[in-house]
Amino acid sequence: MNVQEVYEAAHGDFEGTLERMMDEEFMAKILMMFLDDPSFMQLKEAYQAQNVSDSFHAAHTLKGVAGNVGLSDLAKKASDVTEALRNSDNIHDADAYMPALMQAYETAKQAIEKLEA
């Protein structure tokens, strides 16, 4: 896959990201770095441990990271979880949103892993 195909598969914003970063090679490097970002695993672990505060912070971080690299679908799904937990003390407030976030992350991850060097 090339960079544009990765963004299409991940339901990301290729054009907007290219406009900001101005270089597909740089975009490819940023996407590969995204795979090393710990926020998704932190969210998954905090959610499983039913830790609302840590889940909120990890979802908020993931939202920002995904948005910065143009993975707009994933950023939206992380935003949904963030908002569900923003003023909550019940982890289950995010239950309706977590499956979509996990699917969006896996979709993006699989697409990035197919990126041609």
Side-chain angles (χ1 to χ4, degrees):
M1 278 187 167
N2 65 34
V3 173
Q4 185 170 0
E5 291 168 332
V6 169
Y7 277 90
E8 288 170 2
H11 310 285
D13 179 14
F14 174 77
E15 293 297 328
T17 306
L18 180 59
E19 188 175 307
R20 277 193 340 267
M21 295 188 184
M22 297 185 282
D23 182 353
E24 284 189 42
E25 188 175 317
F26 180 66
M27 290 167 66
K29 288 179 186 178
I30 294 298
L31 287 171
M32 296 307 291
M33 290 173 60
F34 171 79
L35 295 178
D36 294 328
D37 179 77
S39 56
F40 176 75
M41 287 306 297
Q42 290 168 345
L43 171 58
K44 201 169 161 183
E45 291 167 5
Y47 182 75
Q48 289 171 344
Q50 299 190 2
N51 185 318
V52 175
S53 177
D54 288 352
S55 294
F56 169 80
H57 290 291
H60 190 267
T61 300
L62 179 60
K63 175 183 80 166
V65 172
N68 284 336
V69 300
L71 298 173
S72 50
D73 184 56
L74 177 58
K76 169 66 172 99
K77 302 299 192 282
S79 178
D80 292 342
V81 172
T82 300
E83 293 311 310
L85 296 175
R86 182 173 298 280
N87 295 309
S88 177
D89 60 359
N90 186 345
I91 194 72
H92 297 294
D93 288 345
D95 287 354
Y97 304 103
M98 282 298 291
L101 183 147
M102 295 177 98
Q103 180 60 52
Y105 180 84
E106 285 304 316
T107 298
K109 179 177 177 264
Q110 288 173 7
I112 295 166
E113 288 172 340
K114 294 177 183 172
L115 185 62
E116 296 168 356

